[in-house]
Amino acid sequence: MLVKPTKLVLKNVLIFSMKGLKKGPHVTRYYMYRHLSEVLKSRTPPGKVLSISHSTALCQQFFDLNHSELVEANYPDYNFLSLPFADHEFDYVVSDQVLEHVEGDPQQAINESWRVLKPGGLAIHTTCFINPIHDYPGDFWRFTPLALKLLLQDKFSTLIEVGGWGNKYAWVLDSIGLRYEGIPEASWHPLHKIAMRNDPIWPIVTWAIAQK
């Protein structure tokens, strides 16, 4: 374990090393957002997008919102377990780090995302597995990639991808107070290297893309 003075020195050195560098999302989002954008780049023509509980930032990664219609269904005004929308209303449903906070059966949330999608529409869900408890609005669930596959496979016609990202070194950044610092785009930078390292047995975040 690093002692407190060492952590402070390391944190300051890394922050100084990033001055002037273009940055992306923080460490637990960096690889995931880049990877999902690559998977989806030819699969997201303009359409009607449902953003579940403040998932708009992720929607902006995938869709040209100047040509797509975005509908936000944010907690607590909307309940993922019982969405007030018609069947087959949306081309896309996106939930970013939401499923772990569902106060009820996560299968019902998945079923709702399926219900409101048009035939052929896409559900894009990200969540977490190895992660500290984060209480707002309540932290109830954890999902391996296999768990997401189990939730989706009986409803959706095609599982386009189920996966995850993580590594032990990400927690070093967390321990020195850099978990939420943007990751530099420069491939030589040690934070970039940590953010791009993916160990399948350490999935901090997980995701699934499924087609109705």
Side-chain angles (χ1 to χ4, degrees):
M1 292 289 291
L2 296 174
V3 296
K4 190 172 181 179
T6 304
K7 289 181 180 180
L8 184 60
V9 169
L10 183 56
K11 178 180 179 179
N12 289 336
V13 166
L14 287 169
I15 288 175
F16 181 79
S17 73
M18 291 187 284
K19 285 188 178 297
L21 297 179
K22 182 181 178 182
K23 296 180 184 178
H26 62 267
V27 67
T28 64
R29 303 289 194 275
Y30 189 82
Y31 175 96
M32 178 172 66
Y33 284 6
R34 284 167 62 115
H35 177 76
L36 292 180
S37 294
E38 185 67 22
V39 172
L40 288 164
K41 68 180 181 180
S42 63
R43 298 178 182 268
T44 53
K48 190 173 183 180
V49 183
L50 178 62
S51 166
I52 302 290
S53 291
H54 307 284
S55 297
T56 301
L58 187 58
C59 294
Q60 292 168 341
Q61 299 281 323
F62 305 145
F63 308 105
D64 178 358
L65 296 182
N66 292 319
H67 296 94
S68 290
E69 179 184 355
L70 180 70
V71 177
E72 295 184 288
N74 294 329
Y75 178 88
D77 297 321
Y78 291 83
N79 185 345
F80 199 178
L81 299 172
S82 182
L83 295 170
F85 304 110
D87 295 354
H88 319 308
E89 187 169 340
F90 296 93
D91 298 285
Y92 309 98
V93 175
V94 180
S95 74
D96 188 22
Q97 306 296 293
V98 176
L99 285 170
E100 69 268 27
H101 299 294
V102 169
E103 192 171 358
D105 184 355
Q107 182 67 67
Q108 179 59 29
I110 295 296
N111 293 351
E112 278 291 273
S113 71
W114 178 88
R115 180 186 66 79
V116 301
L117 277 173
K118 298 175 183 177
L122 295 183
I124 304 156
H125 299 298
T126 81
T127 183
C128 61
F129 179 53
I130 303 172
N131 237 301
I133 291 173
H134 43 295
D135 280 334
Y136 183 79
D139 193 357
F140 301 102
W141 306 101
R142 291 293 181 269
F143 302 90
T144 64
L146 281 176
L148 290 177
K149 181 179 179 181
L150 187 66
L151 291 173
L152 290 157
Q153 65 186 5
D154 289 339
K155 274 291 185 183
F156 288 84
S157 64
T158 304
L159 297 183
I160 294 170
E161 181 171 288
V162 179
W165 171 87
N167 63 67
K168 291 183 288 186
Y169 304 103
W171 299 114
V172 175
L173 300 187
D174 181 72
S175 72
I176 63 176
L178 289 179
R179 175 169 178 170
Y180 297 106
E181 183 71 32
I183 296 296
E185 299 283 1
S187 60
W188 57 265
H189 198 280
L191 268 64
H192 183 95
K193 292 182 183 299
I194 290 173
M196 292 300 292
R197 182 185 179 96
N198 194 14
D199 184 342
I201 68 170
W202 278 87
I204 294 171
V205 289
T206 57
W207 61 77
I209 305 169
Q211 186 171 36
K212 182 171 179 177

